Amino acid sequence: MKELYRDEAVVLRTYRLRESDRIVVLLTKEHGKVRAVAHGVRKTNSKFGGRLEPMSHVLVQLRRGRELDTVTQVESVDRLGPMLSSLDRTSQGMAAIEAVEQLALDREPTPQLFRSTVGVLRTIAERPSSMNVPAFYWKLLAAEGLSPMLDACVRCEESGDGVEIVAFDLDEGGVLCRNCRSGVSLSPAALSLLRAVLGGRLNEALAAPESPATHEVGLLATRAMEHHLERRLKTIALFERH
Amino acid sequence: MAGVYTPPVQTLIDELGRLPGVGPKSAQRIAFHLLKIPAADVERLASAIHEAKERVRFCERCFNVAEATLCPICSDERRDGTILCVVEESRDIVALERTGEFRGRYHVLLGCMNPLEGIGPEHLKIRELVDRLKGEPVEEIVICTNPNTEGEVTAMYLARLLTPLGLRVTRLASGLPVGGDLEYADELTLGRAFEGRRAVES
């Protein structure tokens, strides 16, 4: 059981352990979510240094243990510096990895989730658009098989130019027309942003300037993710309050 | 596992086991050590705990541990009142004081922001810090939170909050530990050390 293995990983979370160690929760490319102990990482002369902070994208060598693996080597893949260069980037990055930690399964490889996590962190580092996290959440939900119905009213299935879409219902999993309305109201601008995110025009959505519509989509994305996870997302709640 | 030891011993083990970093086995070992050593030694430990708990409280101004309403640093008139160092815990003050480089005053946040745990500014002594600035001639705030993600989040939040007040807000530099080898430095630290390089005095 003392075998070593190497993998690419994103650090999702860290917990303090004993005097100077940490437990790191990693989303690896080939081994799913792995919990590992990084010895001495909190000391200033640690060989791991700042490579195992949350949101780091790294190459790791791990020794398999019974419950917790042990980190033996770490190399950086993407620089973490840009992520920690502004509060917007950090809060977006943390909001993204918080949802990923909840969705990832222990030791169950999810290459697509890994790829999109790396992708979102790179996007955030490059351009901290307010649509980054909402778009990421919707994409994650779509990948989980929870793509909302956006083209027609989810209840009466009416579509076309004459049908006015005015609401979004999380329980129904889609948008609703004026006659069937329930859930939260949805503005036309927010609807077109949602359609852009899920309809393959992601760059267009990410380029959208901050507006009430982006805020609306963001709020809806958080509610939808929380609805799916059945728990509150702490990072979003924290930065929404301040 | 009740009833294996007589109740007083079991209570002692349970109480010791609630201390940070002390597991059930360590608690048992410490409990039996305490039972073995002379009563006077145990008495000294008990009274030390009791007295510390009784006499030590948080300084009303900076939230450092203190014996009176103000801590020794806050009540020292020779300290520079225009520069304020913001730290996470009281023990960070000890570390900074050992450097002998800083002659200003401190403010202890009693923790740091941790978004993933839901610990926000309202759980820290940030409101108290802002209140303090109204009554004191502070010109510069040095943010000395830990150089990890939580510490950086706290620092950036504080900078966003305090800069509009017209104060100079600075952050402790990140760099290489003295006595270390360059090749073992991680990219983030080395990158920051590079960013913050300075002219060599000759």
Side-chain angles (χ1 to χ4, degrees), chain B:
Chain B
M1 256 269 296
V4 177
Y5 297 113
T6 58
V9 180
Q10 191 60 48
T11 313
L12 180 61
I13 293 173
D14 291 346
E15 287 303 316
L16 288 169
R18 286 166 60 179
L19 298 173
V22 182
K25 280 281 175 207
S26 304
Q28 195 174 312
R29 194 164 44 83
I30 297 167
F32 279 100
H33 173 75
L34 291 174
L35 292 175
K36 208 163 65 181
I37 61 177
D41 291 358
V42 177
E43 200 56 50
R44 223 178 28 248
L45 174 67
S47 71
I49 294 172
H50 199 72
E51 194 171 333
K53 194 66 201 163
E54 191 110 294
R55 288 178 45 193
V56 176
R57 50 188 153 169
F58 290 118
C59 168
E60 279 183 3
R61 205 197 279 173
C62 73
F63 301 96
N64 185 10
V65 285
E67 253 187 89
T69 48
L70 291 182
C71 71
I73 296 171
C74 282
S75 49
D76 185 351
E77 288 301 321
R78 288 166 304 171
R79 306 280 308 200
D80 184 356
T82 62
I83 176 162
L84 197 68
C85 186
V86 179
V87 296
E88 289 179 16
E89 303 284 351
S90 295
R91 51 178 190 270
D92 299 331
I93 294 187
V94 179
L96 285 162
E97 280 297 292
R98 269 205 306 261
T99 66
E101 296 277 342
F102 183 67
R103 294 300 303 159
R105 294 215 164 94
Y106 294 93
H107 188 87
V108 185
L109 296 173
L110 298 179
C112 62
M113 278 169 74
N114 189 342
L116 296 174
E117 298 284 344
I119 300 173
E122 67 274 17
H123 298 100
L124 308 175
K125 299 292 178 192
I126 290 180
R127 196 165 43 84
E128 288 80 354
L129 171 66
V130 177
D131 287 344
R132 230 184 121 172
L133 296 174
K134 289 174 194 151
E136 287 179 51
V138 179
E139 286 165 13
E140 180 178 347
I141 305 256
V142 189
I143 304 173
C144 299
T145 49
N146 285 332
N148 51 30
T149 308
E150 292 85 34
E152 291 295 331
V153 170
T154 316
M156 287 188 280
Y157 177 81
L158 283 175
R160 184 177 280 193
L161 185 77
L162 301 173
T163 315
L165 302 177
L167 293 158
R168 191 171 123 88
V169 182
T170 52
R171 172 93 173 100
L172 217 58
S174 267
L176 299 165
V178 177
D181 275 8
L182 207 63
E183 63 171 314
Y184 288 108
D186 65 289
E187 299 74 24
L188 188 58
T189 311
L190 197 52
R192 285 192 174 187
F194 208 79
E195 218 173 274
R197 70 186 182 278
R198 58 181 185 187
V200 182
E201 281 172 39
S202 56

Side-chain angles (χ1 to χ4, degrees), chain A residues 83 86-96 133 235 239, chain B residues 115 153:
Chain A
M83 291 305 293
S86 78
L87 194 55
D88 287 338
R89 287 192 175 89
T90 316
S91 58
Q92 286 178 15
M94 293 203 138
V133 175
T235 310
F239 288 104
Chain B
V153 170

Side-chain angles (χ1 to χ4, degrees), chain A residues 7-13 24-35 56-58 60 100-101 103-105 108-118:
Chain A
D7 205 343
E8 199 178 321
V10 171
V11 181
L12 298 179
R13 201 160 179 175
V24 289
V25 182
L26 303 165
L27 176 69
T28 61
K29 195 175 184 180
E30 284 155 25
H31 299 83
K33 187 165 77 174
V34 171
R35 285 166 196 277
S56 303
H57 179 202
V58 288
V60 279
V100 172
E101 199 211 344
L103 289 173
L105 302 169
E108 192 74 43
T110 42
Q112 198 195 347
L113 180 62
F114 179 78
R115 269 198 306 277
S116 45
T117 308
V118 171

